[in-house]
Amino acid sequence: MRLPLIPSTELTAEQRPLYEAFEKMIQAEEYQGFEVRDPDGAFVGPWGVMLHFPDLAVPLGQFIDVAQKLPGLSERARQVVILTIGGRFNVAYELYAHTPLALRAGLRPDQIAALSAGSRPADLGEDELLAADVASALTRGGAVPGPLYDAAVAELGRQGFAAVAFITVHYLALGTLLNAYDVPAGRAVTQTD
């Protein structure tokens, strides 16, 4: 990583509240199964980057918190969107962290591998295929094509379509930060970690 990891003993007054918020956040089940801290206890991944920029991380974190709670998508479809973005931009940590989450959501290893490589597995559910197609269209630039928009809204509803759009924004933002600072995938995590 191009930024040094920040040990808890070296936090500034501005970083401390963000660090404490991260500590609370990672207690949730969705943060289990991948490395969020190094062996010395310093945050890695997006947390390791955001600690360097607390004034920007706080509003970004607020946006992320809202985007993660948007209704209208199954957890599988949500993971399809995230892996589509991670695969499109080859975001090492994003792909690493979302592999166990995608497995928990019911995606198979071959589907995860295909999405991570930038492909679209044909055997996904219709909602998942449309979510992947919308996320892909958004990363190519320009408007989402009308027929795709119509099909996605018909299948996912307006809330589901909005969830895909805002989850795409969320993971484009995180992926950009992770790639800007060359954040690597974390180490393998076992149940005892």
Side-chain angles (χ1 to χ4, degrees):
M1 184 162 117
R2 295 179 173 138
L3 294 170
L5 298 178
I6 304 172
S8 62
T9 56
E10 296 178 19
L11 294 169
T12 66
E14 293 79 21
Q15 293 167 328
R16 174 69 56 194
L18 192 57
Y19 181 91
E20 290 171 358
F22 292 164
E23 280 190 319
K24 287 181 188 172
M25 177 192 321
I26 66 165
Q27 299 308 310
E29 184 178 339
E30 71 182 279
Y31 297 97
Q32 309 308 306
F34 57 93
E35 183 180 35
V36 295
R37 294 179 194 249
D38 74 0
D40 296 324
F43 278 105
V44 299
W47 307 279
V49 172
M50 290 194 293
L51 274 173
H52 285 272
F53 310 99
D55 289 345
L56 296 169
V58 169
L60 179 59
Q62 291 168 337
F63 170 79
I64 288 170
D65 187 49
V66 172
Q68 286 182 331
K69 295 175 184 169
L70 289 172
L73 279 187
S74 69
E75 184 58 23
R76 276 179 56 108
R78 188 171 118 73
Q79 293 302 322
V80 165
V81 170
I82 295 164
L83 292 172
T84 298
I85 300 303
R88 167 72 171 87
F89 294 102
N90 196 27
V91 184
Y93 187 88
E94 201 166 275
L95 295 170
Y96 155 78
H98 283 275
T99 292
L101 297 176
L103 286 167
R104 272 189 248 159
L107 291 168
R108 296 188 320 265
D110 63 303
Q111 293 170 319
I112 294 167
L115 289 162
S116 297
S119 296
R120 176 187 176 265
D123 62 347
L124 296 173
E126 187 65 23
D127 62 326
E128 297 157 357
L129 291 169
L130 286 164
D133 290 347
V134 170
S136 292
L138 289 169
T139 64
R140 283 193 302 269
V144 171
L148 175 56
Y149 174 83
D150 293 342
V153 169
E155 177 69 27
L156 305 171
R158 292 196 187 281
Q159 282 187 326
F161 182 87
V164 172
F166 283 102
I167 290 167
T168 299
V169 171
H170 166 188
Y171 282 92
L172 283 172
L174 285 184
T176 299
L177 289 173
L178 292 166
N179 280 346
Y181 294 102
D182 197 17
V183 177
R187 64 186 171 90
V189 175
T190 62
Q191 293 296 346
T192 59
D193 282 352

XYZ file of all heavy atoms in Angstrom, residues 88-134:
353
model
N -14.382 -5.135 -13.049
C -14.196 -4.152 -14.131
C -12.928 -3.345 -13.915
O -12.194 -3.038 -14.843
C -15.423 -3.242 -14.207
C -15.268 -2.000 -15.042
C -15.220 -2.318 -16.535
N -15.287 -1.116 -17.331
C -14.221 -0.389 -17.682
N -13.019 -0.731 -17.299
N -14.371 0.690 -18.434
N -12.652 -2.985 -12.659
C -11.503 -2.121 -12.364
C -10.370 -2.852 -11.648
O -9.428 -2.220 -11.201
C -11.967 -0.899 -11.567
C -12.874 -0.015 -12.377
C -14.243 -0.047 -12.195
C -12.356 0.807 -13.365
C -15.081 0.742 -12.962
C -13.187 1.593 -14.135
C -14.554 1.568 -13.945
N -10.491 -4.173 -11.548
C -9.461 -4.993 -10.924
C -9.043 -4.440 -9.558
O -7.863 -4.164 -9.308
C -8.244 -5.145 -11.853
C -7.352 -6.284 -11.416
O -7.800 -7.247 -10.799
N -6.074 -6.175 -11.720
N -10.012 -4.304 -8.678
C -9.776 -3.770 -7.340
C -9.479 -4.949 -6.411
O -10.382 -5.659 -5.967
C -10.998 -2.966 -6.835
C -10.690 -2.328 -5.491
C -11.406 -1.905 -7.857
N -8.198 -5.150 -6.136
C -7.741 -6.352 -5.423
C -8.442 -6.554 -4.085
O -8.968 -7.629 -3.805
C -6.226 -6.298 -5.232
N -8.459 -5.534 -3.244
C -9.039 -5.707 -1.913
C -10.553 -5.909 -1.998
O -11.124 -6.705 -1.251
C -8.697 -4.537 -0.982
C -9.148 -4.806 0.436
C -8.310 -5.463 1.325
C -10.420 -4.463 0.875
C -8.727 -5.757 2.621
C -10.844 -4.752 2.155
C -9.998 -5.397 3.022
O -10.416 -5.690 4.294
N -11.213 -5.195 -2.880
C -12.668 -5.313 -3.039
C -13.045 -6.739 -3.435
O -13.979 -7.331 -2.874
C -13.112 -4.318 -4.114
C -14.561 -3.928 -4.084
C -14.781 -2.701 -4.947
O -14.584 -1.572 -4.452
O -15.140 -2.877 -6.115
N -12.318 -7.300 -4.395
C -12.586 -8.671 -4.836
C -12.278 -9.659 -3.720
O -13.033 -10.606 -3.492
C -11.777 -8.990 -6.093
C -12.162 -8.170 -7.328
C -11.153 -8.390 -8.446
C -13.581 -8.498 -7.776
N -11.182 -9.442 -3.017
C -10.784 -10.296 -1.893
C -11.861 -10.295 -0.800
O -12.307 -11.346 -0.341
C -9.442 -9.800 -1.349
C -9.183 -10.129 0.084
C -8.778 -11.407 0.463
C -9.355 -9.169 1.077
C -8.544 -11.715 1.797
C -9.117 -9.468 2.397
C -8.719 -10.736 2.764
O -8.498 -11.032 4.083
N -12.279 -9.111 -0.375
C -13.222 -9.004 0.746
C -14.613 -9.501 0.379
O -15.317 -10.049 1.231
C -13.289 -7.549 1.230
N -15.008 -9.334 -0.871
C -16.377 -9.714 -1.235
C -16.506 -11.155 -1.704
O -17.630 -11.642 -1.861
C -16.967 -8.707 -2.227
C -17.377 -7.475 -1.516
N -18.604 -7.346 -0.906
C -16.693 -6.346 -1.227
C -18.671 -6.175 -0.303
N -17.520 -5.550 -0.472
N -15.411 -11.855 -1.861
C -15.516 -13.272 -2.195
C -16.212 -14.050 -1.078
O -17.189 -14.759 -1.350
C -14.135 -13.856 -2.547
O -13.710 -13.262 -3.781
C -14.181 -15.368 -2.687
N -15.783 -13.941 0.195
C -16.513 -14.684 1.225
C -17.948 -14.197 1.413
O -18.843 -14.989 1.725
C -15.674 -14.490 2.493
C -14.802 -13.327 2.240
C -14.611 -13.254 0.755
N -18.183 -12.912 1.203
C -19.550 -12.387 1.334
C -20.438 -12.927 0.213
O -21.601 -13.256 0.441
C -19.520 -10.856 1.324
C -18.762 -10.211 2.477
C -18.707 -8.706 2.309
C -19.373 -10.584 3.814
N -19.882 -13.017 -0.987
C -20.647 -13.565 -2.116
C -20.933 -15.051 -1.912
O -22.029 -15.524 -2.221
C -19.887 -13.330 -3.413
N -19.969 -15.779 -1.362
C -20.202 -17.194 -1.043
C -21.330 -17.327 -0.026
O -22.221 -18.171 -0.181
C -18.926 -17.839 -0.497
C -17.835 -18.136 -1.521
C -16.524 -18.477 -0.821
C -18.263 -19.259 -2.456
N -21.305 -16.488 1.015
C -22.371 -16.515 2.026
C -23.725 -16.167 1.436
O -24.756 -16.656 1.896
C -22.064 -15.530 3.158
C -21.244 -16.141 4.251
C -21.167 -15.199 5.425
N -19.787 -14.758 5.495
C -19.350 -13.673 6.089
N -20.182 -12.858 6.686
N -18.090 -13.367 6.103
N -23.720 -15.320 0.415
C -24.981 -14.928 -0.236
C -25.494 -16.004 -1.186
O -26.597 -15.891 -1.706
C -24.798 -13.610 -0.983
N -24.686 -17.044 -1.441
C -25.135 -18.155 -2.262
C -24.545 -18.229 -3.657
O -24.934 -19.103 -4.436
N -23.636 -17.339 -3.992
C -22.968 -17.451 -5.293
C -21.946 -18.576 -5.235
O -21.328 -18.805 -4.196
C -22.286 -16.136 -5.666
C -23.237 -14.984 -5.990
C -22.475 -13.669 -6.066
C -23.967 -15.246 -7.295
N -21.789 -19.270 -6.348
C -20.809 -20.356 -6.426
C -19.412 -19.793 -6.719
O -19.296 -18.711 -7.311
C -21.199 -21.348 -7.529
C -22.503 -22.081 -7.293
C -22.714 -23.182 -8.347
N -22.310 -22.794 -9.688
C -23.145 -22.290 -10.613
N -24.430 -22.130 -10.335
N -22.696 -21.962 -11.810
N -18.367 -20.544 -6.370
C -17.003 -20.076 -6.669
C -16.773 -19.765 -8.149
O -16.097 -18.786 -8.475
C -16.120 -21.233 -6.192
C -16.906 -21.864 -5.081
C -18.340 -21.757 -5.534
N -17.345 -20.559 -9.060
C -17.146 -20.292 -10.485
C -17.843 -19.002 -10.915
O -17.330 -18.263 -11.765
C -17.603 -21.476 -11.350
C -19.089 -21.766 -11.217
O -19.560 -22.004 -10.076
O -19.792 -21.769 -12.252
N -18.991 -18.691 -10.319
C -19.675 -17.438 -10.630
C -18.869 -16.247 -10.102
O -18.730 -15.229 -10.777
C -21.079 -17.435 -10.019
C -22.012 -18.452 -10.652
C -23.309 -18.597 -9.868
O -23.324 -18.614 -8.636
N -24.410 -18.724 -10.600
N -18.346 -16.395 -8.890
C -17.522 -15.341 -8.300
C -16.268 -15.117 -9.143
O -15.888 -13.977 -9.422
C -17.169 -15.700 -6.843
C -18.439 -15.703 -5.987
C -16.115 -14.735 -6.275
C -18.269 -16.337 -4.615
N -15.647 -16.204 -9.571
C -14.444 -16.105 -10.405
C -14.748 -15.382 -11.717
O -13.974 -14.511 -12.152
C -13.866 -17.489 -10.667
N -15.859 -15.714 -12.335
C -16.221 -15.078 -13.605
C -16.462 -13.581 -13.409
O -15.949 -12.748 -14.169
C -17.460 -15.752 -14.196
N -17.242 -13.217 -12.397
C -17.507 -11.808 -12.128
C -16.216 -11.064 -11.808
O -15.992 -9.945 -12.280
C -18.507 -11.662 -10.983
C -19.939 -12.076 -11.307
C -20.733 -12.311 -10.029
C -20.613 -11.040 -12.190
N -15.341 -11.692 -11.034
C -14.065 -11.070 -10.664
C -13.159 -10.860 -11.871
O -12.322 -9.961 -11.871
C -13.344 -11.930 -9.620
O -14.105 -12.000 -8.430
N -13.329 -11.678 -12.881
C -12.538 -11.564 -14.107
C -13.186 -10.631 -15.129
O -12.685 -10.474 -16.239
C -12.332 -12.947 -14.721
N -14.307 -10.041 -14.769
C -14.982 -9.116 -15.673
C -15.991 -9.765 -16.593
O -16.494 -9.131 -17.514
N -16.331 -11.025 -16.335
C -17.330 -11.732 -17.149
C -18.689 -11.702 -16.464
O -18.805 -11.325 -15.309
C -16.902 -13.185 -17.357
O -15.717 -13.246 -18.096
N -19.679 -12.167 -17.184
C -21.057 -12.211 -16.692
C -21.542 -13.649 -16.794
O -21.869 -14.103 -17.883
C -21.897 -11.292 -17.564
C -23.363 -11.252 -17.281
C -23.988 -10.400 -18.392
N -25.395 -10.314 -18.335
C -26.245 -11.087 -19.007
N -25.806 -12.058 -19.767
N -27.534 -10.901 -18.928
N -21.594 -14.378 -15.673
C -22.079 -15.760 -15.732
C -23.527 -15.807 -16.223
O -24.378 -15.090 -15.711
C -21.992 -16.250 -14.288
C -21.112 -15.278 -13.584
C -21.224 -13.979 -14.323
N -23.800 -16.640 -17.190
C -25.137 -16.716 -17.776
C -26.141 -17.376 -16.851
O -27.350 -17.209 -17.023
C -25.085 -17.470 -19.101
N -25.660 -18.125 -15.846
C -26.588 -18.872 -14.995
C -26.980 -18.138 -13.718
O -27.444 -18.744 -12.768
C -26.026 -20.258 -14.675
C -24.721 -20.213 -13.896
O -24.097 -19.138 -13.807
O -24.323 -21.263 -13.368
N -26.834 -16.825 -13.702
C -27.348 -16.035 -12.583
C -28.855 -15.875 -12.744
O -29.408 -16.071 -13.827
C -26.687 -14.658 -12.561
C -25.178 -14.620 -12.305
C -24.647 -13.199 -12.490
C -24.848 -15.130 -10.913
N -29.515 -15.463 -11.666
C -30.943 -15.162 -11.748
C -31.168 -13.925 -12.600
O -30.261 -13.109 -12.802
N -32.385 -13.767 -13.101
C -32.692 -12.627 -13.970
C -32.412 -11.292 -13.278
O -31.864 -10.375 -13.900
C -34.156 -12.694 -14.424
C -34.521 -11.660 -15.465
C -33.790 -11.830 -16.797
O -33.330 -12.932 -17.106
O -33.677 -10.824 -17.524
N -32.750 -11.175 -11.995
C -32.479 -9.932 -11.269
C -30.979 -9.675 -11.168
O -30.511 -8.545 -11.308
C -33.125 -9.947 -9.880
C -32.592 -11.044 -8.971
O -32.244 -12.144 -9.459
O -32.524 -10.807 -7.747
N -30.200 -10.742 -10.973
C -28.747 -10.614 -10.847
C -28.112 -10.250 -12.182
O -27.207 -9.408 -12.238
C -28.165 -11.922 -10.310
C -28.676 -12.247 -8.923
C -28.602 -13.721 -8.556
O -28.195 -14.556 -9.401
O -28.951 -14.035 -7.421
N -28.599 -10.858 -13.272
C -28.086 -10.526 -14.599
C -28.341 -9.059 -14.928
O -27.455 -8.355 -15.434
C -28.732 -11.423 -15.663
C -28.335 -12.895 -15.631
C -29.239 -13.711 -16.555
C -26.873 -13.061 -16.018
N -29.547 -8.596 -14.638
C -29.872 -7.198 -14.926
C -29.070 -6.254 -14.029
O -28.601 -5.206 -14.492
C -31.370 -6.952 -14.778
C -32.190 -7.530 -15.931
C -33.665 -7.611 -15.559
C -31.984 -6.709 -17.199
N -28.873 -6.615 -12.774
C -28.062 -5.787 -11.880
C -26.630 -5.692 -12.411
O -26.038 -4.609 -12.437
C -28.077 -6.367 -10.463
N -26.074 -6.824 -12.863
C -24.725 -6.819 -13.437
C -24.680 -5.972 -14.708
O -23.725 -5.205 -14.913
C -24.278 -8.248 -13.737
N -25.693 -6.093 -15.546
C -25.718 -5.329 -16.796
C -25.815 -3.829 -16.533
O -25.154 -3.029 -17.213
C -26.875 -5.786 -17.682
C -26.659 -7.174 -18.255
O -25.520 -7.700 -18.181
O -27.644 -7.751 -18.767
N -26.619 -3.427 -15.555
C -26.731 -2.005 -15.229
C -25.410 -1.491 -14.676
O -24.920 -0.430 -15.092
C -27.896 -1.748 -14.241
C -27.862 -0.321 -13.706
C -29.239 -2.031 -14.917
